[in-house]
Amino acid sequence: MSDLKQPQFNPGKGIGTPVGVAILGRGTVGAEVMRFMQEYSFDLENRIGGPLELRGVAVSNVEKHASEVPAELLTTDARALIARDDVDIVVEVIGGIDYPRELILEALKAGKSVVTANKALVAAHSDELAAAADAAGVDLYFEAAVAAAIPVLGPLRRSLAGDRIESVMGIVNGTTNFILDAMDSTGASYDDMLAEATRLGYAEADPTADVGGHDAASKAAILATLAFHTRVTANDVYCEGITHVTAKDIAAAKEAGYTIKLLAICERFTSDDGTEKISARVHPTLIPRDHPLASVSKSFNAIFVEAEAAGRLMFYGNGAGGAPTASAVLGDLVGAARNKVHGGRAPGDSTYANLPIAAFGEVHTRYHVDMEVADRIGVLAEIADLFASCGVSLRTVRQEDNGDTARLIIVTHSAAESDLAAVIIKLKNMAAVKSVNSVIRLESE
Ligand code: HSE
């Protein structure tokens, strides 16, 4: 037997008993959760089996919210609010890592169920948070942490709990999808489209977490943990953002029948030594223009799941924004409240499989290598030999004349990251190679 534990028994408060809720943070998500709790209180009560009652909202600046929230609900003392006996569920929508981590651990230890939208926190500390929830016999829900309104964690945890998931691949960041989609449709530069994303309010004032791929990496860690029953943190995820993707890359991809998307890719595979391993990575990726993920435009998200029995599933929708994120928070809130009323707990993360996480060098994929080379006899053969000497097989080669030099675009067959890395080092040291302009990974169906 593996690490099976005796579950804590939660007998439930009984039908009709109120469920007290504390909300930590009142940004766009917190405000929308409050609006729903107020406007749809009758529906929520009937769906839950008891009324949801808001006990308080913790904010950093009471004055800022005073015109919209009754004074008796507002507090700056989140700890005191969490500790109240009449609070059963804590909703954390503050963001950040250290402070919400402390608050959530306090809440769980005090026997409160927790609903959070905090991907960075869950990706970094899910083991500690899950252990605290298990020890107290309460729920820890975080559907909103990945792709906001799109229900994907619930299906991984419940609907697909009996299947064997082979891979989860998707567009899980709206800001970068907006930028890449706009670059693809207008031919504009990365900087111009980032400015446009900022103007339209998609990108944050500091867009580093989005464009650097870190936001998607946190989501990949959460998806991989649930898909493979193995604890994966953001540090285990290879992460490359979109800041270096140029209009020239997009145009070359388009010409060859591809589009570039920032993908989170979580896979199970058998490594060269025969061991089953998993990997999780985030990077710009060429995908064929007829791939289902290629048509995901603007700031939409989509996640493609492949499982042994279910086959291929695709989840699509709004992956960012106050209301879509609030939708996922509210779903979790209803689930946690039902358990408070009727008893029982939601399924937690099972990490029994504990599969080894592959070193990035072991991951296999295909590559699109764009370089500038001397245009003279024998160069192409030299380059083909170099790829072959590193064990990387070529699939297509395209050449464009460019005066004294030629632009060479090579697409490889599937090869290990370590082998491709060796190719790139050697190319950069080769006299005939003037520059390696870009190396972008490529996925096909
Ligand atoms: N900033 C994220 C995005 C939304 O652009 O998708 C929150 O995860």
Side-chain angles (χ1 to χ4, degrees):
M1 201 138 100
S2 54
D3 61 346
L4 297 179
K5 295 186 204 91
Q6 188 63 37
Q8 294 279 324
F9 180 64
N10 163 22
K13 290 158 66 103
I15 302 257
T17 316
V19 178
V21 178
I23 300 182
L24 312 182
R26 192 178 175 276
T28 49
V29 180
E32 194 64 10
V33 170
M34 279 182 67
R35 181 176 78 77
F36 259 76
M37 284 179 66
Q38 223 166 9
E39 275 183 44
Y40 299 103
S41 60
F42 172 82
D43 302 271
L44 293 173
E45 176 175 349
N46 280 280
R47 293 173 198 176
I48 290 163
L52 265 189
E53 292 181 359
L54 183 60
R55 305 293 185 218
V57 187
V59 293
S60 52
N61 178 349
V62 166
E63 276 80 58
K64 196 173 147 197
H65 305 275
S67 64
E68 290 168 6
V69 183
E72 65 276 14
L73 288 179
L74 285 172
T75 177
T76 53
D77 191 346
R79 290 199 154 84
L81 176 60
I82 290 168
R84 275 171 58 162
D85 287 339
D86 60 354
V87 166
D88 301 295
I89 302 174
V90 172
V91 174
E92 184 271 316
V93 280
I94 307 174
I97 295 194
D98 295 337
Y99 180 52
R101 171 177 160 263
E102 286 167 22
L103 296 179
I104 288 177
L105 285 172
E106 265 180 48
L108 293 170
K109 283 177 188 154
K112 325 283 166 142
S113 288
V114 168
V115 174
T116 176
N118 194 327
K119 72 218 72 140
L121 172 61
V122 175
H125 295 292
S126 65
D127 48 352
E128 185 186 29
L129 301 180
D134 285 345
V138 294
D139 290 329
L140 170 67
Y141 279 99
F142 43 86
E143 180 68 61
V146 178
I150 306 174
V152 64
L153 303 190
L156 289 177
R157 273 181 159 165
R158 287 186 293 273
S159 324
L160 293 165
D163 209 335
R164 175 185 156 94
I165 294 177
E166 303 294 348
S167 65
V168 180
M169 174 165 102
I171 296 165
V172 293
N173 183 272
T175 306
T176 48
N177 200 55
F178 176 87
I179 295 171
L180 292 173
D181 181 46
M183 287 173 74
D184 185 273
S185 53
T186 64
S189 71
Y190 165 78
D191 287 333
D192 286 350
M193 290 305 99
L194 171 61
E196 179 71 352
T198 309
R199 192 181 68 76
L200 293 172
Y202 292 119
E204 305 285 334
D206 175 6
T208 316
D210 291 315
V211 298
H214 311 294
D215 174 84
S218 292
K219 293 166 182 170
I222 296 171
L223 288 166
T225 298
L226 294 181
F228 305 129
H229 304 274
T230 295
R231 184 76 59 204
V232 178
T233 70
N235 287 336
D236 299 317
V237 181
Y238 171 81
C239 175
E240 190 184 305
I242 66 162
T243 50
H244 60 280
V245 177
T246 63
K248 213 171 153 189
D249 293 329
I250 302 261
K254 215 169 174 174
E255 206 167 303
Y258 294 93
T259 186
I260 300 181
K261 297 288 189 189
L262 183 74
L263 294 191
I265 303 174
C266 314
E267 299 175 305
R268 176 200 293 276
F269 67 99
T270 305
S271 70
D272 292 343
D273 64 7
T275 330
E276 181 175 58
K277 293 188 178 173
I278 58 169
S279 73
R281 53 199 165 102
V282 167
H283 50 68
T285 314
L286 279 102
I287 51 173
R289 293 186 90 80
D290 60 359
H291 188 285
L293 291 174
S295 57
V296 177
S297 62
K298 303 208 163 71
S299 64
F300 283 95
N301 284 193
I303 295 141
F304 207 66
V305 178
E306 197 156 356
E308 183 174 329
R312 291 171 172 185
L313 305 167
M314 186 153 147
F315 301 83
Y316 169 86
N318 264 320
T325 307
S327 166
V329 169
L330 285 156
D332 282 353
L333 182 54
V334 168
R338 280 179 179 149
N339 291 339
K340 287 288 177 191
V341 170
H342 303 281
R345 284 184 71 204
D349 311 355
S350 65
T351 53
Y352 72 93
N354 204 16
L355 292 168
I357 299 168
F360 187 58
E362 291 180 80
V363 170
H364 282 64
T365 186
R366 291 165 59 194
Y367 306 87
H368 181 275
V369 183
D370 181 342
M371 60 191 129
E372 206 66 33
V373 302
D375 195 2
R376 59 173 164 75
I377 292 176
V379 168
L380 195 53
E382 239 182 279
I383 289 175
D385 274 354
L386 188 156
F387 274 78
S389 71
C390 297
V392 180
S393 159
L394 307 189
R395 184 162 187 272
T396 60
V397 179
R398 239 167 70 217
Q399 183 176 326
E400 285 168 20
D401 287 344
N402 214 358
D404 286 350
T405 62
R407 183 178 179 200
L408 206 56
I409 298 177
I410 290 182
V411 172
T412 74
H413 283 292
S414 183
E417 286 286 344
S418 54
D419 291 338
L420 198 277
V423 166
I424 302 304
I425 291 172
K426 287 187 179 176
L427 281 175
K428 286 182 174 166
N429 287 323
M430 197 171 149
V433 175
K434 305 298 170 205
S435 61
V436 176
N437 301 327
S438 71
V439 180
I440 304 184
R441 294 167 183 86
L442 187 153
E443 292 283 326
S444 50
E445 275 197 87

